[in-house]
Amino acid sequence: MSQPVGTFCLVLHTHLPWLPHAGTWPVGEEWTYQAFTASWQRVVRVIEALDRPDVLTLGITPTVAAMLDDPYTLRELHTWIANWQLRAAELAGRPEPHLKSLASYEWRAASACLDDFESRWMHGGSPVLGQLASSGTVELLGGPAMHPFQPLLPSRLQRFALAVGLDDARQRYGFAPAGIWAPECGYRPGLEASYVDAGVQRFLIDGPAVQGQTHAAYPVVGTDVVAFARDLEVTYRVWSPKAGYPGSAPYRDFHTFDHASGFRPVQVTGKHLPSEAKKPWDPAAGAAQASADADDFVARVRDRLVSLADQHGQESLVVAAYDTELFGHWWHEGPQWLAAVLRRLPEAGVRVTTLGGALAAGHLGPEREIPASSWGSGKDWRVWDGEQVADLVADNAKVADRLLSTVDDFGTADRDPVLDQLATEALLALSSDWAFMVTKDSAAHYARCRAAKHAAQVAELADLLYAGHRRAAETLAAQLRVVDGPFAHLDARQL
């Protein structure tokens, strides 16, 4: 390739809350099984098929990494994939011609997924993901344990969660990632100091945090820690709060089900049409639309890079970042689009690389102050600190205070399984997912129940210790660890 017009980095953020033993349907464990089969496994196959280095930057939160290594989750996922095959076989007995065609499609997809799962994933996801990183195919991003909204945490607890998350990556992959996906791209001035101390070299923010000047990465003032910002002009072409490619007519409609089988049988057709008026889904038409949209995206990225180079007088950078689950789960044809984009961008003269690769290519601007920000609504903290979740914010503050004071009062030089489980339950209660789900009214009741459950378990463990009931506290901690035990290495003495 001749001199590229600029650099493109795709960053995928792979996250779900801790879900084993926490409900199944309509919310709970099923989310993991759907995300793996529809998205995560398919995206990994796309990345591997490209057979080249520096394909993209892949964020895997410690929670997802733990679930993909959790024996219970893997057993249940195996069963779920097998049931997917059975549902497809049952659908084949239906008389409608378009459902027979769909049954064949789903049977083939389930069979391929089952073969891949049994040959590579069945005994843990860490070897698969670690190989992608060690081969140089992707750059892995880590993050703090349980995905808390860091700006709202006491500094001591924020540093602890980050340390636990990075230690988790070392345990699973043999190294700590150089970069993190800061949960919700949440930032407040001062967090960079904890990143320096933890050895974090780079993290993600949203474009408005740098007033849209996303053509380069920026060291945070006074440090070598580098902030990369999403280019929203390009990112929103795919997926935004209002529009994006997945809404095109030929794509498989996410919201319409054949309830007897659980499969999605129709295409989008029209955004305002009732389900019964939508056309049967045609995989070939969906694939053709994905190819056309890939061409459009490649052209947009190239045009953006040329424009930025003209504006700034040098090769520039575009970072597009999405939840991994967009590709395959929310947007069925997303992995096909992804494969086409990652093949065609280099052909169009665009350097495709990782965040680390972008730094190696010289896309580093001057030091910059980063304001308080997030990638949520308003690009501020309102999703996690707004009126709708004021009670959760107050409860979270109590959980953090109870954890820290209990560790201070009962911590010793010896490791304490009660305090370890107390810290685990506190981090589970402080997950950013619960406030997000309440603010967005997405399974809000489930979110409130999960947050309250873990907060209550923090209180119960602490109360037993303060009452002098050490043996009862140890028994309860052991029982909770069976259900809520993602991080065996978590050591409350780090607090």
Side-chain angles (χ1 to χ4, degrees):
M1 183 173 70
S2 59
Q3 183 66 24
V5 297
T7 298
F8 174 80
C9 293
L10 178 66
V11 184
L12 299 182
H13 173 52
T14 313
H15 175 64
L16 283 175
W18 178 251
L19 296 169
H21 310 284
T24 52
W25 179 262
V27 291
E29 294 175 6
E30 182 93 1
W31 287 351
T32 306
Y33 314 145
Q34 290 178 350
F36 177 87
T37 56
S39 180
W40 301 343
Q41 182 262 353
R42 294 174 65 196
V43 168
V44 167
R45 293 299 292 269
V46 165
I47 294 169
E48 292 171 333
L50 290 166
D51 193 25
R52 69 169 193 254
D54 299 329
V55 172
L56 53 78
T57 301
L58 182 62
I60 304 289
T61 64
T63 312
V64 167
M67 289 194 292
L68 288 178
D69 283 343
D70 176 56
Y72 169 81
T73 297
L74 292 169
R75 287 195 302 271
E76 293 301 308
L77 176 55
H78 193 199
T79 300
W80 196 93
I81 299 171
N83 283 334
W84 177 12
Q85 277 190 316
L86 291 176
R87 289 188 291 120
E90 291 172 356
L91 186 65
R94 298 271 292 276
E96 301 95 321
H98 72 282
L99 292 183
K100 288 184 178 294
S101 175
L102 180 62
S104 178
Y105 176 90
E106 292 291 347
W107 172 266
R108 293 193 302 271
S111 299
C113 183
L114 187 60
D115 288 345
D116 189 38
F117 179 80
E118 291 181 340
S119 64
R120 300 201 298 166
W121 297 86
M122 193 170 181
H123 300 293
S126 292
V128 179
L129 299 171
Q131 175 60 27
L132 282 178
S134 62
S135 67
T137 304
V138 305
E139 174 184 343
L140 283 185
L141 298 181
M146 305 302 188
H147 209 258
F149 190 70
Q150 295 183 108
L152 297 179
L153 292 183
S155 178
R156 183 175 158 199
L157 186 49
Q158 179 267 323
R159 287 171 175 267
F160 173 71
L162 182 59
V164 172
L166 294 176
D167 285 345
D168 184 71
R170 290 188 188 94
Q171 295 283 337
R172 297 185 196 279
Y173 313 126
F175 66 93
I180 65 168
W181 180 283
E184 319 296 358
C185 294
Y187 179 79
R188 61 170 165 78
L191 278 179
E192 69 280 357
S194 72
Y195 295 166
V196 171
D197 292 343
V200 172
Q201 299 173 27
R202 43 191 174 268
F203 66 103
L204 269 292
I205 55 175
D206 214 355
V210 291
Q211 293 77 48
Q213 298 297 303
T214 60
H215 61 285
Y218 301 100
V220 181
V221 169
T223 75
D224 293 327
V225 180
V226 176
F228 284 84
R230 290 202 306 167
D231 183 315
L232 295 189
E233 182 173 319
V234 169
T235 296
Y236 279 178
R237 185 70 184 172
V238 180
W239 186 255
S240 78
K242 296 181 179 179
Y245 297 136
S248 298
Y251 288 136
R252 196 173 191 178
D253 184 61
F254 176 81
H255 300 286
T256 301
F257 289 90
D258 172 68
H259 289 284
S261 66
F263 295 124
R264 299 176 174 91
V266 301
Q267 64 185 43
V268 173
T269 312
K271 294 180 182 179
H272 303 295
L273 288 176
S275 296
E276 61 273 13
K278 298 194 174 197
K279 297 177 181 179
W281 176 59
D282 177 0
Q289 185 67 47
S291 181
D293 286 339
D295 284 339
D296 178 78
F297 185 78
V298 168
R300 296 278 175 166
V301 170
R302 181 182 170 85
D303 289 348
R304 175 70 167 155
L305 287 170
V306 169
S307 173
L308 289 170
D310 290 343
Q311 181 181 347
H312 298 284
Q314 60 184 19
E315 255 189 48
S316 292
L317 170 69
V318 162
V319 175
Y322 309 94
D323 287 333
T324 307
E325 298 76 40
L326 170 63
F327 300 97
H329 177 61
W330 300 106
W331 178 19
H332 184 79
E333 292 85 354
Q336 296 168 283
W337 177 92
L338 190 64
V341 163
L342 292 172
R343 285 196 309 268
R344 296 173 192 176
L345 277 169
E347 296 168 359
V350 175
R351 179 191 296 109
V352 175
T353 189
T354 60
L355 297 183
L359 293 177
H363 297 294
L364 187 64
E367 286 190 349
R368 188 163 187 145
E369 292 184 356
I370 309 296
S373 54
S374 80
W375 77 339
S377 301
K379 307 306 179 184
D380 52 24
W381 300 352
R382 70 186 66 177
V383 172
W384 300 276
D385 193 24
E387 291 183 8
Q388 290 174 278
V389 291
D391 58 328
L392 284 180
V393 173
D395 290 344
N396 286 349
K398 293 176 184 177
V399 166
D401 181 69
R402 195 71 190 277
L403 169 64
L404 296 175
S405 60
T406 304
V407 168
D408 287 343
D409 288 342
F410 292 94
T412 68
D414 297 323
R415 189 170 179 184
D416 185 341
V418 176
L419 294 181
D420 290 352
Q421 194 61 34
L422 183 76
T424 298
E425 297 296 338
L427 289 176
L428 283 164
L430 295 169
S431 168
S432 72
D433 299 278
W434 314 138
F436 177 88
M437 292 162 66
V438 171
T439 298
K440 298 297 184 180
D441 195 22
S442 171
H445 178 70
Y446 177 84
R448 287 189 178 280
C449 288
R450 283 294 304 276
K453 170 190 171 186
H454 297 299
Q457 286 164 182
V458 168
E460 187 174 3
L461 285 168
D463 287 346
L464 287 171
L465 288 177
Y466 280 103
H469 301 314
R470 158 63 62 170
R471 184 161 296 181
E474 290 175 349
T475 299
L476 176 59
Q479 292 170 345
L480 293 175
R481 195 171 302 113
V482 173
V483 176
D484 296 332
F487 307 127
H489 67 282
L490 183 150
D491 187 342
R493 290 177 297 179
Q494 287 182 283
L495 278 165

